[in-house]
Amino acid sequence: MAGVQLGGEGELKLLGTWASPWVSRVKLALHLKGLSYEYIEQDLDNKTSLLLASNPVHKKVPVLIHNGKAICESRVILEYIDEAYNATGPSLLPADPYERAMARFWAAYIDDKLVVPWVQAFKNNTEEERTEGINLTLAAAETLEGALKECSKGKPFFGGDSMGYVDVVMGGLISWLQGTEELCGAKLFDDSKTPLLLSWVERFVMLDAAKVALPDVGELVEFAKMRLAQLAAAAAAAATVPPKN
């Protein structure tokens, strides 16, 4: 449990796990807005009564608690922060309705078309599934290269001159995506196919908010390897249990 002292009004608590990219998204938004919050680390193998009471539907992190009221799901939380603290710090979503709709579209695309196949490649159930997951992830990265060009209009971020909603949604994933080569055997961003995204990542990780919110890539890779080993051991143990008559 740790308090992060920035600025802002109202009591904010964030329930999370250090390795969660979804939690990293919320940390990024809170730091960009300059908001103070209490961070409460959770053990998802031994869920606290606070987490279960705050998110009884999914029982997952992140959960943002604002003055006793719980908000769940990372993208929902980002929009809540932007609306509840619209007069504090930079806006995450654009003011223009069309641009705001496009930002939501690309945020959903990231979760549906980049994250889902990446998880498939990471879990590596079979070689065929791993290869399919990697190929779909790489294809999504190339599509997002075009989205960055379109949304940024030649400026440094999806949001233009400064980080916006899509930057935060994508940015929360950076540490995991940077570990893709070691974890999945594929380099996600490179100079030939995704030069704009590669430069975007380099700029993003140098931001103060990113330095605070994102986990260390090396520690994350070691954590992921440990979790994969645990999952493999559990699967092997389950396979040796004789069927019930």
Side-chain angles (χ1 to χ4, degrees):
M1 183 182 297
V4 182
Q5 298 301 318
L6 299 170
E9 299 178 356
E11 182 186 53
L12 287 168
K13 296 180 180 180
L14 175 59
L15 311 185
T17 59
W18 71 272
S20 168
W22 327 119
V23 174
S24 293
R25 287 175 175 176
V26 180
K27 288 181 179 179
L28 284 166
L30 291 169
H31 281 274
L32 283 171
K33 286 285 191 178
L35 298 171
S36 299
Y37 66 98
E38 179 184 358
Y39 176 68
I40 307 174
E41 179 75 11
Q42 300 293 299
D43 178 1
L44 298 185
D45 293 325
N46 185 24
K47 296 176 182 178
T48 64
S49 57
L50 177 60
L51 175 59
L52 295 175
S54 301
N55 189 358
V57 176
H58 297 302
K59 303 176 178 64
K60 295 179 179 179
V61 295
V63 176
L64 183 71
I65 303 174
H66 183 203
N67 291 331
K69 296 179 179 179
I71 307 96
C72 308
E73 299 296 307
S74 65
R75 281 167 29 211
V76 174
I77 294 171
L78 296 184
E79 295 201 33
Y80 177 85
I81 291 170
D82 205 33
E83 293 175 8
Y85 294 93
N86 64 328
T88 303
S91 295
L92 299 179
L93 282 161
D96 179 78
Y98 175 78
E99 292 182 359
R100 192 160 61 245
M102 288 299 96
R104 289 177 172 136
F105 172 86
W106 286 116
Y109 181 90
I110 289 166
D111 282 354
D112 295 340
K113 302 299 184 181
L114 184 75
V115 174
V116 171
W118 187 94
V119 171
Q120 179 181 329
F122 169 68
K123 288 185 176 179
N124 193 14
N125 295 320
T126 67
E127 184 63 25
E128 182 179 357
E129 289 176 331
R130 186 185 72 83
T131 300
E132 180 187 33
I134 289 173
N135 289 338
L136 290 172
T137 304
L138 292 173
E142 291 186 38
T143 299
L144 287 167
E145 174 80 0
L148 176 56
K149 183 177 181 179
E150 176 186 336
C151 294
S152 68
K153 300 178 176 63
K155 295 178 180 179
F157 299 100
F158 283 93
D161 289 316
S162 59
M163 285 173 58
Y165 182 65
V166 181
D167 295 283
V168 173
V169 169
M170 184 77 165
L173 305 170
I174 281 182
S175 294
W176 280 100
L177 297 179
Q178 286 181 314
T180 297
E181 187 169 8
E182 186 168 351
L183 292 172
C184 304
K187 190 173 183 180
L188 194 55
F189 306 127
D190 61 42
D191 286 322
S192 61
K193 294 184 178 180
T194 55
L196 296 179
L197 277 175
L198 185 62
S199 297
W200 174 84
V201 169
E202 292 170 352
R203 285 191 296 271
F204 195 98
V205 297
M206 295 305 296
L207 297 170
D208 289 340
K211 292 177 181 178
V212 172
L214 299 181
D216 177 79
V217 177
E219 292 179 5
L220 202 56
V221 167
E222 292 306 310
F223 168 78
K225 289 179 177 178
M226 179 191 71
R227 291 296 291 177
L228 283 174
Q230 290 174 341
L231 290 172
T240 61
V241 177
K244 295 181 179 178
N245 293 327

